[in-house]
Amino acid sequence: MINEIKKQRLVFNIGLFVLFLVISIVYVYPFMRTGKIYAAGDFMFQINRIHELTQDFAHGVFIPRISSYSMNQVGSGINFFYPWISIIPFALLNLIIKNPVNSYYVGLILENLITLLIAYYSYNHYSQSKKAATLFSLFYFFATYRLYLMTSQFVLAESLAYMFIPLAFLGFYEVVWGKENEWILLSLGMTFLIYSHMLTSALVALIFVLLLIILFKTINNRKRRLIALCKAAGTCLLLTSIFLIPFFEQTLSNKTTASWTGLTLISTPGQMLDNSLKLEPVQTIGLILVIGIIIGLLYFSKLSGVGKTAFVTGIGLTILTTSVFPWKLFESTPINNLQFPYRFLGIASFLLCIPLTELVLTFIQKKLNRQTFIICFTLLCTLLIGITYYGERGIIKQRLSLPELSTQLTPKHYLPSYTYGGFIITAKSYDNMLHFYQHNGATDYYPQTASAAKHWSKTLSIIEHIAYVNGRAVKFKNMTVSRPNELIFDVSEIANQSKIDLPVLYYHNDQVFNERNQPIPYSISKRGTITVKKGPTLRKVKVKYVSSFVDKLSVMITCISWIILFIYLIIQFRRKQNVEN
């Protein structure tokens, strides 16, 4: 009997995995079959990040510090401030699959599959219902906002964070209202969020705090649950040390300009509803969740306590992203780092999928037998795929007339500035993105003295690889060699005793060496770059990021923490297996 149950469970799990894999491929297929990427938004930024990791891995270096192969090859410190761990699979795929366009799309298929699996696991763990978990995973996966992130504006980091929102909320629920000894789920959910997108992590943490305050009276065994929360937070900090410690070290040691601040692209409630009804993949919750809200309002009393809380919170967050909320009052506050209030829509989509799942499942279970359920489920899948396909075809249709990025970009001929950031990429033109780049994040976290907003002429001179030799501009583009976390400049043709302001940004822990790897004196120029004096024997200048004790400690802490965690999980799994047997 037990073996028969295990066999049925195995067959179901294999069938579910195959279904999710097929859906993951179908989701990407309309784009992949063209052999093109219809790029826009953050695409070039994300590809530069992936390229840096790819080159580092190819040369046997597995922790990126300064960008020497990407981001204009000027030693940008972007990897200190944007999490890079979650894009590792894309870099590894680049090494395996020679066609970079196919490599990117395979990466999206993998992201799709993981999103479905985590959504299913999280809801099944909470509801103990395979039907409910399957429905929820589909509603969550096909959310319009996710389609916008992945295929319209290529906000890769936020779409990767979207994978882990259900796991983080599951962990939070278990710690605060469920089994507090499952605090490891919360720590893992938040860890992977931080590995993906810092801002999403902060928004999720903020909502957790607000829910704790509002629902504090509903919490029992508060002391035990508080201890569990502390365990989860402490474990999360240990697991993310590899990123957070260098992040804070660089933040405290450098005066940098963060990504641009402001509060923009705020739609009215009418615009959001209109966009949802048009099935457009823009910053909205989409038609299915609008229908879910209507059903929820009609049958609110039938929802569980969790369903009601998720419904109210989801609607609240959706309203928060519109002009109903007085965002103008916060334009001059630190809240303007949010940039786009619609970033709450990822969490709102997750929350609204919970009551929708509850109500749909309640109706199906009461009204339909097993065969009819399968038919309805198939029709639902077809509907969700059809709506998504319509949105994807709309993206392709809108961008068919965009020009291909057929030549390397230059400041005078910068294609994205003529096409509002849109262009077409093929396998042949893919490399043209990686030589010059000046929009959407290209100069994020530059030194304040090279701020693009205040000192564009200085910024442009750096990304054009202009050095200043005794104050005279000299093009250094063909005099630079990239190595992992290192840039090498050939200064052999420059006269002795010359003062050379190199086109490489300075960050804390950067050090300067000659061709014999001996340290040489340097200073920081007014544009935030490294300056050296040419000696009679100096032929090459090496600017290299040298990991500090703190950097090394952060790697050690994270590695040891993961090893201990794996041992802990194995022990817990074996104990569970022994109990079941």
Side-chain angles (χ1 to χ4, degrees):
M1 185 66 179
I2 294 176
N3 289 334
E4 184 63 27
I5 293 173
K6 286 184 177 180
K7 183 179 179 181
Q8 290 177 358
R9 186 185 301 168
L10 178 63
V11 171
F12 176 82
N13 289 338
I14 292 173
L16 188 70
F17 181 86
V18 171
L19 173 66
F20 284 172
L21 180 59
V22 170
I23 290 173
S24 300
I25 295 171
V26 169
Y27 193 94
V28 174
Y29 181 73
F31 296 101
M32 193 172 185
R33 66 184 290 273
T34 67
K36 300 175 181 178
I37 298 175
Y38 299 89
D42 282 359
F43 181 72
M44 195 178 292
F45 176 71
Q46 303 298 348
I47 291 302
N48 268 263
R49 296 177 65 218
I50 293 169
H51 180 68
E52 186 69 33
L53 239 63
T54 302
Q55 292 301 314
D56 282 356
F57 289 176
H59 291 85
V61 174
F62 301 101
I63 299 179
R65 300 301 186 187
I66 60 172
S67 295
S68 51
Y69 294 96
S70 64
M71 297 291 174
N72 295 303
Q73 302 87 39
V74 295
S76 167
I78 202 78
N79 293 310
F80 296 121
F81 305 100
Y82 287 100
W84 48 271
I85 295 173
S86 62
I87 62 172
I88 287 176
F90 287 87
L92 294 176
L93 287 169
N94 265 352
L95 295 174
I96 298 169
I97 302 172
K98 298 305 178 185
N99 184 317
V101 172
N102 288 341
S103 171
Y104 181 75
Y105 282 131
V106 171
L108 293 187
I109 291 172
L110 179 62
E111 179 183 343
N112 286 341
L113 181 59
I114 295 173
T115 300
L116 283 164
L117 292 173
I118 290 177
Y120 177 85
Y121 169 81
S122 300
Y123 204 83
N124 185 50
H125 190 286
Y126 156 71
S127 67
Q128 298 298 305
S129 167
K130 294 177 181 178
K131 288 182 181 178
T134 306
L135 284 173
F136 171 81
S137 59
L138 292 177
F139 287 138
Y140 184 66
F141 176 81
F142 284 108
T144 298
Y145 185 66
R146 180 174 182 273
L147 180 64
Y148 164 79
L149 292 176
M150 284 191 69
T151 63
S152 178
Q153 291 301 301
F154 299 91
V155 192
L156 182 62
E158 191 175 346
S159 73
L160 290 169
Y162 189 92
M163 293 192 297
F164 304 110
I165 290 174
L167 185 61
F169 271 86
L170 169 65
F172 178 72
Y173 170 80
E174 290 292 358
V175 168
V176 179
W177 292 286
K179 301 173 183 176
E180 71 272 9
N181 61 342
E182 297 198 3
W183 54 267
I184 200 71
L185 293 172
L186 176 58
S187 63
L188 286 174
M190 291 305 299
T191 292
F192 286 116
L193 279 176
I194 292 171
Y195 282 173
S196 304
H197 195 237
M198 288 284 281
L199 195 49
T200 301
S201 308
L203 294 179
V204 169
L206 174 63
I207 292 169
F208 286 168
V209 171
L210 293 176
L211 288 173
L212 277 174
I213 294 171
I214 296 170
L215 301 173
F216 185 75
K217 290 184 179 180
T218 67
I219 303 171
N220 58 24
N221 300 318
R222 291 170 187 167
K223 183 177 180 180
R224 290 210 315 255
R225 296 187 186 280
L226 178 61
I227 293 172
L229 275 174
C230 291
K231 287 180 182 179
T235 302
C236 177
L237 289 174
L238 292 173
L239 295 175
T240 56
S241 293
I242 193 171
F243 172 74
L244 289 180
I245 290 178
F247 169 80
F248 285 115
E249 181 188 24
Q250 294 295 328
T251 300
L252 296 172
S253 302
N254 299 298
K255 293 182 178 180
T256 59
T257 54
S259 182
W260 69 273
T261 57
L263 296 167
T264 186
L265 296 180
I266 303 170
S267 61
T268 65
Q271 288 172 328
M272 177 169 287
L273 179 61
D274 186 52
N275 288 333
S276 295
L277 296 178
K278 287 180 179 178
L279 306 181
E280 294 182 351
V282 293
Q283 311 96 319
T284 186
I285 56 173
L287 176 62
I288 297 298
L289 291 182
V290 168
I291 294 173
I293 289 175
I294 295 171
I295 296 173
L297 291 171
L298 293 174
Y299 297 98
F300 184 77
S301 61
K302 295 185 179 298
L303 292 171
S304 68
V306 171
K308 289 176 181 176
T309 301
F311 185 74
V312 172
T313 309
I315 290 179
L317 291 178
T318 302
I319 294 172
L320 189 64
T321 67
T322 69
S323 57
V324 171
F325 188 81
W327 286 106
K328 286 187 177 180
L329 299 177
F330 300 93
E331 286 182 345
S332 299
T333 69
I335 293 175
N336 64 11
N337 285 286
L338 179 62
Q339 301 174 332
F340 309 114
Y342 66 70
R343 292 187 192 275
F344 282 104
L345 287 176
I347 305 170
S349 296
F350 161 76
L351 292 168
L352 291 173
C353 285
I354 295 173
L356 177 60
T357 300
E358 284 189 9
L359 292 173
V360 169
L361 190 66
T362 299
F363 174 78
I364 289 176
Q365 286 183 329
K366 286 186 176 181
K367 305 291 184 181
L368 306 176
N369 58 33
R370 178 181 172 83
Q371 288 182 337
T372 314
F373 172 82
I374 293 173
I375 293 172
C376 288
F377 178 78
T378 304
L379 290 174
L380 176 63
C381 285
T382 305
L383 174 64
L384 293 172
I385 291 172
I387 291 173
T388 300
Y389 180 75
Y390 179 85
E392 292 177 343
R393 290 302 303 172
I395 293 172
I396 294 173
K397 186 177 180 180
Q398 289 174 1
R399 298 177 186 177
L400 275 175
S401 59
L402 287 174
E404 183 178 345
L405 196 66
S406 55
T407 59
Q408 291 185 16
L409 298 174
T410 66
K412 292 182 179 179
H413 301 284
Y414 195 72
L415 183 63
S417 64
Y418 309 132
T419 60
Y420 300 98
F423 51 89
I424 291 175
I425 286 294
T426 64
K428 290 183 179 179
S429 57
Y430 184 92
D431 188 63
N432 292 329
M433 294 184 292
L434 305 172
H435 300 278
F436 182 79
Y437 166 42
Q438 69 177 40
H439 75 289
N440 277 41
T443 59
D444 284 0
Y445 295 99
Y446 269 30
Q448 289 181 1
T449 50
S451 166
K454 298 179 180 178
H455 310 286
W456 175 241
S457 60
K458 292 181 180 179
T459 305
L460 187 59
S461 71
I462 296 168
I463 62 179
E464 283 194 276
H465 295 265
I466 301 296
Y468 289 95
V469 180
N470 295 327
R472 179 174 59 87
V474 178
K475 190 83 170 180
F476 257 49
K477 179 67 175 178
N478 298 322
M479 302 164 69
T480 309
V481 176
S482 297
R483 296 284 184 270
N485 301 319
E486 180 180 8
L487 287 163
I488 304 172
F489 300 90
D490 185 349
V491 296
S492 58
E493 301 299 320
I494 295 174
N496 291 338
Q497 303 305 311
S498 295
K499 185 178 180 182
I500 311 169
D501 178 355
L502 296 165
V504 57
L505 301 166
Y506 172 78
Y507 291 89
H508 182 65
N509 296 328
D510 278 350
Q511 294 185 24
V512 185
F513 304 90
N514 60 21
E515 63 270 27
R516 295 179 296 278
N517 292 318
Q518 297 169 331
I520 59 175
Y522 65 92
S523 59
I524 312 303
S525 74
K526 291 182 179 180
R527 59 176 185 164
T529 51
I530 289 173
T531 300
V532 298
K533 189 173 183 180
K534 170 69 186 299
T537 61
L538 187 62
R539 296 288 179 267
K540 292 182 179 180
V541 177
K542 298 181 179 182
V543 177
K544 183 176 183 179
Y545 184 90
V546 179
S547 295
S548 65
F549 170 77
V550 171
D551 290 328
K552 295 173 183 177
L553 181 64
S554 69
V555 175
M556 189 181 303
I557 290 172
T558 293
C559 289
I560 293 174
S561 299
W562 271 113
I563 292 170
I564 294 172
L565 178 62
F566 277 126
I567 294 171
Y568 171 80
L569 292 175
I570 290 170
I571 294 172
Q572 292 294 103
F573 176 78
R574 287 183 175 177
R575 284 178 179 173
K576 185 178 179 181
Q577 290 292 101
N578 291 334
V579 171
E580 291 179 355
N581 293 332

